Amino acid sequence: MPQPDPDPRYPIGPWEDPGSLGRAERAAAIAAVDAAPAALRAAVAGLDEPQLDTRYRPGGWTVRQVVHHLPDSHMNSYIRFKIGLTEREPTIRTYHEERFAELPDARAGVEPSLELLEALHRRWVLLLRAIDDAGWQRVILHPDLGRMSLDSLLAFYAWHGRHHVAHVTELRRRRGW
């Protein structure tokens, strides 16, 4: 019997906070962060301009906006990790991702954002691999989500990259691209 299409909002399922991670889970999450830029580049490879301007679901972002969103979001995360490692239980700043997605740079070609994501993740993964066990237990205060350990933050961003890549790959599958 064929499987039903996944919910286009959450093609890999919604994120669930694991609380804390073991060393193997943490290594897998870091590997997912490391792999995200190449996965995104592969997901958009060969798409033309009209395809990049296709919404991955009704009411959702275009593929182009998804591509630009990832470095916007992951730059914020990288800074959140650095703040979390250098301050005691800092309250991090949120941002209006939906407004970012409407700015003029979110209508530009995708190559600069793909390159930015690649460079950012190279640097971010260096930091992630250097965090010791105590560092992973450090906490940030998220205005919407409350207290989050760096383990939880890592788990979220490992999911986040896969989540948005799946928006593109599921759209391609549905459209036969």
Side-chain angles (χ1 to χ4, degrees):
M1 173 179 256
Q3 295 292 326
D5 281 343
D7 180 341
R9 294 171 303 158
Y10 300 103
I12 64 168
W15 179 67
E16 295 181 17
D17 187 346
S20 64
L21 302 174
R23 286 188 178 162
E25 295 167 311
R26 196 176 294 132
I30 293 170
V33 170
D34 194 24
L40 181 63
R41 184 175 285 282
V44 300
L47 293 180
D48 61 27
E49 294 299 309
Q51 290 169 324
L52 289 170
D53 290 326
T54 302
R55 295 187 184 282
Y56 73 88
R57 67 173 174 87
W61 285 337
T62 67
V63 172
R64 184 183 313 274
Q65 287 172 310
V66 169
V67 171
H68 293 309
H69 165 70
L70 278 164
D72 287 345
S73 175
H74 292 192
M75 284 187 288
N76 274 282
S77 178
Y78 175 61
I79 296 302
R80 289 171 181 173
F81 269 91
K82 292 183 82 126
I83 290 169
L85 288 166
T86 60
E87 298 178 22
R88 189 175 183 282
E89 295 195 13
T91 298
I92 56 98
R93 191 174 190 297
T94 60
Y95 71 103
H96 296 281
E97 62 185 33
E98 68 286 350
R99 293 181 193 170
F100 275 39
E102 295 300 326
L103 291 171
D105 65 327
R107 292 188 292 277
V110 297
E111 187 59 30
S113 282
L114 293 170
E115 292 173 357
L116 177 56
L117 192 68
E118 289 163 349
L120 171 64
H121 278 235
R122 280 193 304 271
R123 176 97 181 261
W124 190 14
V125 168
L126 288 172
L127 175 66
L128 295 174
R129 288 183 176 148
I131 298 173
D132 63 18
D133 288 341
W136 289 108
Q137 303 315 307
R138 293 184 66 92
V139 169
I140 63 165
L141 305 175
H142 190 289
D144 300 326
L145 303 175
R147 291 172 54 92
M148 292 182 77
S149 69
L150 294 188
D151 262 341
S152 290
L153 197 61
L154 172 64
F156 176 79
Y157 282 97
W159 170 86
H160 188 256
R162 292 189 309 263
H163 166 72
H164 284 302
V165 166
H167 283 148
V168 177
T169 58
E170 281 298 306
L171 173 65
R172 290 187 82 149
R173 182 190 64 75
R174 289 192 312 270
R175 295 283 181 103
W177 296 344

